[in-house]
């Protein structure tokens, strides 16, 4: 890229540079503007929103909406607990089993490895549809209202397994595995002591996508839970946004008059989305490499 | 992103002669096969058995009979689905929206990537990319809060601005016309950061000597984009578009459900296959409809993916999915 940069500078035209910066800036601003309006809305007083609507900055600063949520925080805390549990356990298990399966289908000793790969891949081509899936899980397996269903339903993505397979094939040298085998290491030991550590970069990237997937999943909860203690954050947010009702624990305590309904919605959105946005700058690197390892080779 | 169905390396002849069946292979590589057991069990339970549930579309589902042994009714469910007029409506909506999404996504990702590649200040490039990624990181639930924030009839920022200029406020839930613009806009908004990384990677991969030669010949930067970057990105574009077309029957359920929900007034313009299947199942508990819609979608998806993959394979064998 450095040579390109210097070469491009030779006949750089100022107006073209200006247009490039302007277009990129506009796209970036459009992407970030809603976040700014959201945050400033959540930090406004209810009365200013009711009078003048939302704006790009808080016209009348107040943290009442947040105070209000944290006055009766049971529902929010319980949703945080559920979201954190399913995200941590789900991502860890998913990465472990995905990479283990990827290791298996990368081994040439297995004559039917492509059959196994196709066994996984076929599930992305064809499905029985939503109805049998729902009935099977809720009425036959009786998995509704369990942590298990929230963890298992979003757990795997065949593409990630296939990406991991390519990664293992490309970055773990075969002689290394062969020599470990000669030294008497079994496949399990090779997997845990060689494949796992050497796949760290790919696991980090896929881990970012899995964390996002679990954290943002509201669908599984909507389909398979009725119990208020099993509501993850995004589904709680959805329930609060779609009904103007407050969460059950808050509604018990609050007289209708002093409840900040408009700013409350935004504060709730900030609380549900905040952690993922705050964590983002630290994982951006893995996110970008995650997109490109899974992508077509340009 | 590809599955090699071919054996990539030639095995030694003496190994190949030991032809055995699956069981023999399993016995010889017991540990490896055991390591595959967890994922196999998962997909049998969560994919293959529900796949067998397609029989439900040919039965009249009863609680007693359950998933696999309710009374058979032949193609009655499909007759009902096709004669309800819904089949054409949801198929049309799904295809139209997905085509618009794909076109807008490709256009904007490409534009963003090309201009990002022209930017020389590293910090500016990094910062703007970071901002473009933000929408990808949030759920459609949060996006629905944004839509509320901007377009709410009474307090929305767009309506406040319109009011400021003495224009009439928009009531987005009153008419369908807004959504033909709003949905693609939000789709692009959410995906442009992701897409621009894909195209940017392809641009970085272009041989810099071509640009140098063009510079020596006095080409302007605009000419270089039109005559070098775009033509060389064409293969990437074609592959990404074809792969996108493979998903054309799968709606963005999250998006449509979160933004529109069960709004009756918008139904005709925004009902897609996925929302119809969901509503029949969870709303009206019309199992015949729900299961026939599901099978209809699965079969169409399968046909389209096979076609798209065949086209990719013809265009560039290495990029094919299988």
């Amino acid at each position: 890229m450095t040579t390109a940069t210097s070469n491009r500078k030779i006949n750089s035209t100022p107006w073209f540079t200006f247009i490039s910066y302007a277009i990129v800036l506009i796209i970036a601003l459009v992407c970030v503007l809603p976040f700014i309006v959201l945050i400033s809305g959540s930090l406004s007083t209810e009365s200013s929103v009711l009078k003048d609507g939302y704006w790009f900055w808080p016209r009348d600063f107040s943290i009442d909406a947040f105070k209000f949520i944290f006055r009766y925080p049971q529902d929010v805390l319980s949703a945080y607990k559920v979201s954190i549990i399913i995200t941590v356990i789900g991502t860890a298990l998913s990465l472990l089993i995905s990479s283990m399966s990827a290791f298996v289908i990368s081994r040439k000793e297995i004559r039917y490895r492509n059959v196994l790969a196709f066994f996984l891949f076929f599930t992305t081509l064809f499905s029985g549809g939503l109805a049998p899936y729902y009935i099977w899980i809720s009425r036959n397996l009786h998995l509704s209202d369990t942590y298990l269903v929230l963890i298992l339903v979003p757990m795997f993505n065949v593409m990630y397994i296939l990406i991991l397979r390519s990664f293992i094939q490309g970055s773990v040298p075969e002689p290394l595995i062969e020599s470990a085998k000669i030294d008497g290491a079994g496949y399990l030991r090779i997997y845990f002591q060689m494949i796992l550590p050497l796949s760290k970069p790919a696991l980090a990237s896929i881990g970012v996508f899995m964390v996002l997937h679990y954290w943002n999943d509201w669908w599984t909860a909507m389909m398979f839970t009725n119990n208020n203690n099993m509501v993850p954050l995004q589904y709680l947010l959805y329930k609060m946004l779609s009904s103007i009702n407050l969460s059950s624990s808050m509604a018990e305590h609050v007289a209708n008059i002093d409840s900040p309904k408009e700013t409350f919605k935004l504060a709730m959105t900030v609380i549900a989305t905040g952690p993922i946005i705050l964590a983002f700058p630290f994982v951006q690197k893995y996110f970008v490499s995650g997109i490109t390892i899974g992508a077509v080779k340009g | 992103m590809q599955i090699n169905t071919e054996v990539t390396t030639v095995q030694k002849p003496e190994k190949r002669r030991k032809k055995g069946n699956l069981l023999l292979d399993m016995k010889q590589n017991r540990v490896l096969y055991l390591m595959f057991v967890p994922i196999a069990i998962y997909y049998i339970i969560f994919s293959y058995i529900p796949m067998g549930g397609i029989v439900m579309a040919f039965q009249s589902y009863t609680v007693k009979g359950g998933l696999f042994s309710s009374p058979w009714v032949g193609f009655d469910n499909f007759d009902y689905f096709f004669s309800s007029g819904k089949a054409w409506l949801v198929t049309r909506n799904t295809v139209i929206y997905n085509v618009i999404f794909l076109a807008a996504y490709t256009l904007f990702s490409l534009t963003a990537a090309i201009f990002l590649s022209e930017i020389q200040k590293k910090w500016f490039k990094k910062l703007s990319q970071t901002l473009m990624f933000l929408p990808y990181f949030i759920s459609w639930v949060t996006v629905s809060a944004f839509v509320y924030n901007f377009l709410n009839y009474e307090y929305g920022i767009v309506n406040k601005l319109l009011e400021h200029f003495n224009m009439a406020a928009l009531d987005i839930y009153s008419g369908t016309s807004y959504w033909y613009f709003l949905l693609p806009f939000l789709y692009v908004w959410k995906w442009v950061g992701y897409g621009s990384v894909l195209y940017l990677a392809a641009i970085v991969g272009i041989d810099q000597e071509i640009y140098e030669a063009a510079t020596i010949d006095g080409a302007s930067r605009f000419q270089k984009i039109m005559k070098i970057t775009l033509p060389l990105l064409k293969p990437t574009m074609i592959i990404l578009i074809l792969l996108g077309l493979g998903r054309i029957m799968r709606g963005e359920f999250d998006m449509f459900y979160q933004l529109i929900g069960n709004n009756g007034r918008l139904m005709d313009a925004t009902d897609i296959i996925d929302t119809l299947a969901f509503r029949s199942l969870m709303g009206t508990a019309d199992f015949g409809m729900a299961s026939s819609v599901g099978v209809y979608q699965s079969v169409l998806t399968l046909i389209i993916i096979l076609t798209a993959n065949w086209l990719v394979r013809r265009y560039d064998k290495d990029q094919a999915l299988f």
Side-chain angles (χ1 to χ4, degrees):
Chain A
M1 274 312 278
T2 46
T3 53
T5 311
S6 58
N7 272 306
R8 281 181 188 173
K9 267 180 188 159
I10 296 171
N11 60 347
S12 69
T13 38
W15 63 267
F16 193 88
T17 310
F18 176 75
I19 290 178
S20 304
Y21 277 81
I23 288 177
V24 170
L25 189 67
I26 289 170
I27 297 178
L29 280 182
V30 169
C31 284
V32 78
L33 215 54
F35 291 89
I36 293 169
V37 175
L38 173 77
I39 293 168
S40 59
S42 71
L43 291 172
S44 300
T45 54
E46 183 74 7
S47 57
S48 77
V49 169
L50 291 181
K51 195 165 133 279
D52 299 319
Y54 299 118
W55 204 241
F56 297 101
W57 53 86
R59 283 197 268 219
D60 196 0
F61 184 84
S62 138
I63 53 165
D64 285 353
F66 290 97
K67 270 190 192 155
F68 178 76
I69 292 172
F70 284 104
R71 209 182 306 159
Y72 309 105
Q74 293 95 316
D75 284 359
V76 175
L77 291 183
S78 146
Y80 255 101
K81 190 186 87 183
V82 174
S83 280
I84 290 172
I85 288 175
I86 60 171
T87 305
V88 171
I89 298 180
T91 306
L93 278 178
S94 170
L95 288 178
L96 182 77
I97 296 176
S98 295
S99 58
M100 201 156 80
S101 321
F103 171 57
V104 174
I105 53 176
S106 77
R107 295 307 305 157
K108 294 202 180 62
E109 299 92 298
I110 297 221
R111 183 171 290 137
Y112 294 93
R113 64 186 180 282
N114 289 324
V115 175
L116 295 184
F118 194 77
F119 167 83
L120 301 179
F121 186 68
F122 185 70
T123 61
T124 67
L125 295 178
F126 192 75
S127 82
L130 183 64
Y133 187 74
Y134 172 75
I135 291 171
W136 170 246
I137 289 175
S138 65
R139 299 199 185 162
N140 294 57
L141 298 176
H142 302 292
L143 281 176
S144 295
D145 284 322
T146 57
Y147 274 106
L148 210 54
V149 78
L150 292 175
I151 290 172
L152 285 176
V153 166
M155 196 163 198
F156 295 110
N157 183 327
V158 174
M159 281 308 158
Y160 297 161
I161 299 177
L162 298 177
I163 288 169
L164 281 170
R165 176 187 67 172
S166 311
F167 188 88
I168 292 170
Q169 281 170 338
S171 63
V172 183
E174 188 58 31
L176 205 64
I177 296 177
E178 288 301 328
S179 66
K181 267 160 65 178
I182 290 164
D183 291 345
Y187 284 114
L188 262 180
R189 190 164 164 182
I190 292 175
Y191 165 71
F192 278 109
Q193 296 196 339
M194 285 168 71
I195 306 295
L196 262 192
L198 287 171
S199 311
K200 261 186 208 157
L203 288 173
S205 292
I206 289 168
V208 169
F209 283 90
M210 284 313 300
V211 166
L212 273 182
H213 194 52
Y214 273 109
W215 190 266
N216 285 337
D217 179 37
W218 53 276
W219 185 87
T220 313
M222 180 180 73
M223 295 297 286
F224 300 109
T225 66
N226 295 307
N227 185 340
N228 275 334
N229 298 323
M230 297 300 305
V231 173
L233 261 182
Q234 297 297 324
Y235 187 49
L236 179 72
L237 178 65
Y238 163 71
K239 290 210 296 188
M240 287 188 180
L241 291 175
S242 59
S243 60
I244 307 171
N245 302 325
L246 304 171
S247 72
S248 54
S249 69
M250 291 172 198
E252 286 166 21
H253 300 281
V254 179
N256 289 328
I257 312 137
D258 71 332
S259 58
K261 282 185 178 161
E262 293 302 320
T263 51
F264 165 82
K265 285 184 177 182
L266 304 191
M268 192 54 220
T269 311
V270 170
I271 288 172
T273 312
I276 215 89
I277 298 297
L278 289 179
F280 169 64
F282 303 100
V283 298
Q284 185 177 346
K285 183 173 79 175
Y286 300 111
F287 174 67
V288 174
S289 58
I291 299 174
T292 41
I293 52 171
V296 280
K297 290 144 268 168
Chain B
M1 216 153 129
Q2 69 200 46
I3 298 186
N4 295 322
T5 35
E6 304 86 8
V7 178
T8 38
T9 48
V10 183
Q11 287 175 331
K12 283 174 194 147
E14 64 266 24
K15 268 191 184 170
R16 194 185 270 175
R17 235 177 279 134
K18 272 196 280 171
K19 274 232 160 89
N21 53 18
L22 182 62
L23 283 176
L24 186 65
D25 198 29
M26 279 179 164
K27 206 174 161 193
Q28 282 167 345
N29 298 298
R30 207 172 48 236
V31 179
L32 281 175
Y33 273 98
L34 277 176
M35 289 167 81
F36 195 77
V37 165
I39 198 96
I41 290 176
Y42 178 88
Y43 276 108
I44 287 170
I45 291 179
F46 285 92
S47 286
Y48 282 95
I49 293 175
M51 243 181 246
I54 55 169
V55 295
M56 198 182 147
F58 305 94
Q59 295 173 340
S60 170
Y61 178 79
T62 57
V63 175
K64 190 166 157 276
L67 199 47
F68 300 108
S69 44
S70 293
W72 294 92
V73 294
F75 283 89
D76 282 7
N77 292 327
F78 291 94
D79 282 345
Y80 174 54
F81 170 48
F82 286 108
S83 60
S84 69
K86 281 281 179 193
W88 164 240
L89 180 83
V90 292
T91 310
R92 187 199 62 187
N93 283 344
T94 309
V95 170
I96 288 178
Y97 276 113
N98 277 326
V99 168
I100 299 176
F101 290 166
L102 186 61
Y105 164 76
T106 306
L107 182 71
F108 279 92
S109 304
L110 201 59
T111 311
I114 286 175
F115 287 109
L116 271 170
S117 76
E118 294 291 329
I119 280 173
Q120 278 137 29
K121 286 207 169 51
K122 269 225 169 90
W123 67 268
F124 185 85
K125 195 171 177 174
K126 179 120 197 273
L127 180 67
S128 44
Q129 274 197 299
T130 305
L131 299 183
M132 282 184 213
F133 292 149
L134 281 180
Y136 181 86
F137 273 64
I138 58 172
S139 69
W140 281 106
V141 185
T142 309
V143 179
S144 80
F146 288 154
V147 171
Y148 182 82
N149 222 213
F150 272 74
L151 292 161
N152 173 274
Y153 188 73
E154 290 157 89
Y155 315 119
I157 204 161
V158 171
N159 284 333
K160 283 292 155 192
L161 281 171
L162 288 172
E163 198 179 279
H164 189 75
F165 295 108
N166 291 318
M167 281 148 75
L170 308 175
D171 183 4
I172 52 163
Y173 294 105
S174 70
T176 55
S177 52
Y178 301 113
W179 294 94
Y180 286 114
F181 169 77
L182 194 56
L183 290 171
F185 175 83
L186 289 171
Y187 184 87
V188 169
W189 180 76
K190 206 158 185 314
W191 283 92
V192 69
Y194 186 95
S196 64
V197 171
L198 289 181
Y199 285 108
L200 196 58
I203 292 175
V204 171
I206 295 174
D207 188 354
Q208 291 305 324
E209 282 180 21
I210 305 173
Y211 288 105
E212 284 162 28
T215 310
I216 292 164
D217 291 343
S220 74
R221 279 162 81 180
F222 183 68
Q223 280 173 321
K224 279 188 260 182
I225 289 175
M226 298 307 284
K227 306 278 182 193
I228 300 173
T229 314
L230 281 179
L232 287 174
L233 281 183
K234 215 174 101 191
T236 311
M237 249 171 81
I238 289 174
I239 297 295
L240 287 175
I241 289 174
L242 284 176
L243 293 175
L245 282 177
R247 290 190 295 267
I248 208 159
M249 280 298 150
R250 290 191 181 146
E252 288 277 323
F253 175 79
D254 278 38
M255 175 183 191
F256 282 83
Y257 188 77
Q258 285 300 339
L259 299 182
I260 292 153
N262 295 323
N263 190 317
R265 248 189 298 183
L266 301 177
M267 198 73 87
D268 279 353
T270 57
D271 205 12
I272 55 168
I273 300 179
D274 295 87
T275 48
L276 175 65
F278 173 80
R279 218 174 42 249
S280 320
L281 178 69
M282 304 300 280
T284 53
D286 185 346
F287 294 110
M289 181 74 136
S291 53
S292 54
V293 174
V295 171
Y296 170 71
Q297 185 182 30
S298 284
V299 171
L300 275 183
T301 303
L302 183 63
I303 293 169
I304 288 168
I305 291 182
L306 292 177
T307 314
N309 189 65
W310 177 74
L311 287 171
V312 173
R313 187 168 262 281
R314 276 192 50 163
Y315 186 77
D316 180 357
K317 201 162 173 283
D318 291 340
Q319 305 286 3
L321 285 167
F322 48 88

